[in-house]
Amino acid sequence: MTGQPSPYTPHNHKRCIHDALHKARILCRDRGVRLTVLREKVLELVWQSHCPVGAYEILAELTQGESKPAQPPTVYRALDFLQEQGLVHRLSSINAYIGCSRPNTPHHSSFLICTQCRTTFEIEHPSIDQSLKACADDHGFTITDTSIELAGLCTNCRTNRRINKL
Amino acid sequence: MTGQPSPYTPHNHKRCIHDALHKARILCRDRGVRLTVLREKVLELVWQSHCPVGAYEILAELTQGESKPAQPPTVYRALDFLQEQGLVHRLSSINAYIGCSRPNTPHHSSFLICTQCRTTFEIEHPSIDQSLKACADDHGFTITDTSIELAGLCTNCRTNRRINKL
DNA sequence: TAGCGAGGCGTTATAACATAACATTTTTGT
DNA sequence: ACAAAAATGTTATGTTATAACGCCTCGCTA
């Protein structure tokens, strides 16, 4: 199971969002932290996009239809909370945020970010963690946080590009 | 050999800068690209710090003692050139730049960034590349660019912290 | 259930990082 | 020496993120 369902039908996308929110509510309740209306709304907006979203995009969507526009700190604070709880990840190489597909288990994720369609896969593989850990150990370095972001072409875009070239 | 010499004496630091600039000149000459005075100056400033430096820090140092202050594009263009030539790396997780320790060989580097002293090691290990490649292949993903940045504590800082705690 | 304290949010302002667009200068090939 | 291309200067602005302060709300305890 990868973060996003492979065929992006509107239906399973909706279900995907719904599941993520449901998981988040349970997780926050269990931890005794407050998933407020605002925070949940931000989380929903993050999941609504099947690609990573920028903070200011969220801000714009949050403002949609409201009388007074929301301000940056509103979004950033919510994102900070969601990151602390492991519900979203920040992709520093593109300054964007994406819902975490496995919020329950603490983990170091890697991301495959398609430069063409921006679709991003959260991958997790023991061998990556192992080799990084081994490398860090060699240098006496203790890892506390990782940012592993691989840019390139996803299957679809590579195929399409090949077709376009023919 | 890692990017920076382990004991930071002023002497080997100077030699380190000198070597890096020398390598860069040769490399640019061989490639038929122009390492202009400005570009070389920026490269020198990047190396002068034994830690990653921000673009605006470079800008400030560049402006030091000059009548007219330099402007951001001046620095960013130089940095772009240096990155294209593989002479510096950008660390997106901390918005900073660092001299590349192995500019000759094309490679995907990983970085160990100490959150305490900001000292950063450029590491390269076949096993990391391999496991990432394998993982990407599993997803039909073609990697074109990597950003692998591991934050944590370096040997020194971990030791010191332990001492401080006692 | 009143009051208090912490956490969450609104609001204003600004910091930090980066680039677009166009003018001018320098370099290079002919 | 000239024209074209590359590099740099300059002005303005875009984008991302945070500091600081005040008010409000929620949950706890007396």
Side-chain angles (χ1 to χ4, degrees), chain B residues 34 56 72-73 76 90 95 97:
Chain B
R34 293 166 55 194
Y56 279 72
Y76 281 104
R90 174 166 193 271
N95 293 326
Y97 302 82

Side-chain angles (χ1 to χ4, degrees), chain B residues 66-144:
Chain B
E66 300 300 316
S67 50
K68 290 226 171 172
Q71 298 303 317
T74 300
V75 168
Y76 281 104
R77 281 193 288 233
L79 287 172
D80 284 346
F81 169 84
L82 296 169
Q83 283 177 258
E84 278 164 20
Q85 299 305 321
L87 294 165
V88 312
H89 293 290
R90 174 166 193 271
L91 301 174
S92 63
S93 68
I94 58 172
N95 293 326
Y97 302 82
I98 189 170
C100 175
S101 47
R102 275 184 226 68
N104 297 302
T105 59
H107 58 282
H108 292 304
S109 296
S110 308
F111 298 91
L112 302 174
I113 307 170
C114 181
T115 47
Q116 183 114 345
C117 67
R118 281 179 58 103
T119 297
T120 297
F121 298 95
E122 180 176 350
I123 63 176
E124 215 173 322
H125 206 290
S127 74
I128 295 178
D129 274 18
Q130 275 167 27
S131 36
L132 289 175
K133 178 82 170 51
C135 249
D137 284 348
D138 286 350
H139 290 75
F141 192 93
T142 314
I143 298 174
T144 54

Side-chain angles (χ1 to χ4, degrees), chain A residues 22-35:
Chain A
H22 184 67
K23 269 193 205 170
R25 278 184 219 108
I26 293 173
L27 185 149
C28 287
R29 181 168 48 69
D30 290 352
R31 291 183 187 166
V33 296
R34 293 166 55 193
L35 185 62

